[in-house]
Amino acid sequence: MLDVVFLAMFAIVPVLAFSLYAVKSKLRYSLHKSLQLTLGIVLLVAVTAFEVDMRFFTDWEARAVGSPYYSADSWSGVWISLAVHLFFAIPTLVLWIVVLTAALRKFPTPPTPGNHSATHKKLGWLAALGMTLTALTGWIFYWMAFVA
Ligand code: HEM
């Protein structure tokens, strides 16, 4: 699952960028809605599968012992990179749920700009930035723990 999520993040960031391009320059609101909902569902399934795998099946620490950045019983590069990654990943997950549910409740169907636009744009850009930083810090953790 670590490898699957690592690779999935390479697809998610360009799709997110395309979705924002669609809404910004071509005013294709319905396409933006479908892409964001698909990304949200894919991320939720991936995060759940990942958590189940990490809690019950895979001992990631055993796989990181060969890394020069890993130490089992003291702070090391791997632990710091994991802490930085979680610092972005956990708030971003909450923010995505908030942005998605508010957008579904407050925009009409089919979606068009309205009273909710200003709030949605602010939180939407924050959510997109959070997801990009989550991907970047996740790749750094993966490289430090399992590749280096
Ligand atoms: C986590 C999911 C989502 C994120 C991160 C997101 C992000 C964004 C961002 C950053 C913008 C502003 C683009 C700009 O600067 O012009 C935007 C615009 C918009 N989004 Fe989303 N969005 C999400 C989900 C949705 C959903 C589910 C809907 C529809 C139900 C939706 C409908 C819209 C609409 C109508 C606009 C245009 C607002 C306007 O220009 O006044 N978004 N979105």
Side-chain angles (χ1 to χ4, degrees), residues 4 9 14 17 21-22 40 62 89 100 103 116 128 130-131 143-144:
V4 170
M9 292 311 271
Y21 166 77
L100 276 174
H116 183 53
M131 187 54 70
W143 184 83
M144 288 183 96

Side-chain angles (χ1 to χ4, degrees), residues 20 23-24 29 32 36 96 103 107 113 117 120-121 124-125:
L20 295 180
V23 80
K24 217 173 154 56
Y29 303 120
H32 170 70
Q36 293 304 139
W96 268 64
F107 282 123
S117 286
H120 180 76
K121 281 187 182 185
W125 278 114

Side-chain angles (χ1 to χ4, degrees), residues 48-132:
T48 310
F50 180 75
E51 281 301 316
V52 170
D53 186 23
M54 286 303 120
R55 301 266 170 260
F56 303 111
F57 301 106
T58 303
D59 183 1
W60 74 263
E61 289 184 61
R63 288 164 192 248
V65 278
S67 163
Y69 301 106
Y70 178 74
S71 154
D73 37 40
S74 65
W75 275 96
S76 60
V78 168
W79 286 111
I80 293 167
S81 68
L82 179 60
V84 173
H85 174 60
L86 293 177
F87 174 81
F88 290 111
I90 295 167
T92 299
L93 177 67
V94 176
L95 192 56
W96 268 64
I97 294 169
V98 170
V99 172
L100 276 174
T101 46
L104 288 175
R105 283 178 45 229
K106 297 187 177 171
F107 282 123
T109 306
T112 46
N115 290 337
H116 183 53
S117 286
T119 310
H120 180 76
K121 281 187 182 185
K122 259 185 243 140
L123 291 182
W125 278 114
L126 205 61
L129 181 70
M131 187 54 70
T132 308

